[in-house]
Amino acid sequence: MKKITYTLALTLLALTSPALFADEAAIKKALSNFMPGGQVDSVKPSEVKGLYEVSMGGNIFYSSEDGKYLLQGQLFDAEAKKNITESKLAEVRKASLDKVGEQKMIIFKPETSKHVVSIFTDIDCGYCRKLHSEIDQYMAQGITIRYMFFPRAGKGSDSYKKAVSVWCAADKNKALTTAKKGEHLDAKTCENPVDEHMALGEAFGMNGTPMIVTQKGNILPGYVPAAQLAKVLASE
């Protein structure tokens, strides 16, 4: 009797579970057709009945259960006054950065690290240079900085070539500081993650540099002074 009851319960759960009504294959196909080259990381029910949350790269989309209709935008909980999409995006950003890994970043780390931020930078960007010129102040605040490249002029530009040369240098940290000062840097080429950095920045919706991503996955656009950044990170 217990076995029959248990089996019946599982059957009812399967019949009523909203996740099972979604055609995951159809949703993945629809997004792949809509965004060729993209890869769907997950499909799961959203907080809205009949709408499915789709994680793709650094983005979140919403889909009908058959994948025919796709939405991109912010989903709010009006009662709780909470931006549901942004909180989910923060988690997606964290996972995306973890996937890239620190071996593909240039890291400046203080003796005692209290916080970690990932910064998309352009070697020729004025505020990027200002931020890096104050690197000692960030270190004094206990902030580990993990640099990733986003040359705004695009692939093949002088800024892009400088980013590649920095990555290919024997001492990446020293080369980055040299380049940020506008000093001569020997041109080099090698296998590098610059394209991967740029693709991730685009997925994060970058519209300028520097762009700071906190350890919680939140975005701080533009230059933020060391003391102010430390306060923001402590409040997280």
Side-chain angles (χ1 to χ4, degrees), residues 18-185:
L20 294 179
F21 288 113
D23 188 339
E24 187 171 340
I27 291 174
K28 287 184 176 181
K29 183 179 179 181
L31 265 174
S32 296
N33 290 337
F34 186 62
M35 298 179 66
Q39 181 178 346
V40 175
D41 299 313
S42 66
V43 177
K44 57 186 177 182
S46 75
E47 286 75 3
V48 179
K49 185 177 180 180
L51 201 62
Y52 291 82
E53 178 187 302
V54 184
S55 174
M56 188 175 186
N59 284 302
I60 287 179
F61 296 88
Y62 296 97
S63 171
S64 58
E65 62 186 22
D66 58 1
K68 182 178 180 180
Y69 298 102
L70 302 172
L71 296 171
Q72 183 179 22
Q74 304 291 313
L75 179 64
F76 289 85
D77 182 330
E79 184 177 338
K81 296 181 174 61
K82 177 183 177 183
N83 187 330
I84 295 172
T85 304
E86 182 55 35
S87 63
K88 298 288 183 70
L89 278 172
E91 293 296 325
V92 169
R93 294 184 197 113
K94 284 171 56 181
S96 297
L97 289 168
D98 288 343
K99 189 175 180 180
V100 172
E102 290 191 343
Q103 73 277 5
K104 292 183 180 179
M105 303 175 183
I106 297 178
I107 301 173
F108 287 78
K109 188 173 184 177
E111 289 186 12
T112 303
S113 181
K114 300 177 183 177
H115 309 287
V116 179
V117 296
S118 301
I119 300 180
F120 287 86
T121 190
D122 180 339
I123 288 172
D124 293 321
C125 149
Y127 276 106
C128 297
R129 289 187 171 187
K130 177 175 175 59
L131 189 154
H132 191 71
S133 71
E134 299 168 0
I135 194 71
D136 289 343
Q137 296 178 35
Y138 293 92
M139 298 297 101
Q141 293 287 346
I143 302 172
T144 293
I145 291 180
R146 310 190 306 183
Y147 275 123
M148 302 175 71
F149 291 111
F150 194 89
R152 295 174 300 173
K155 188 169 182 176
S157 65
D158 286 342
S159 296
Y160 179 91
K161 292 174 183 176
K162 289 176 185 177
V164 172
S165 294
V166 166
W167 184 265
C168 298
D171 187 333
K172 294 178 176 61
N173 293 58
K174 182 178 179 180
L176 182 59
T177 298
T178 297
K180 290 281 190 182
K181 290 179 179 179
E183 298 175 358
H184 173 73
L185 185 70

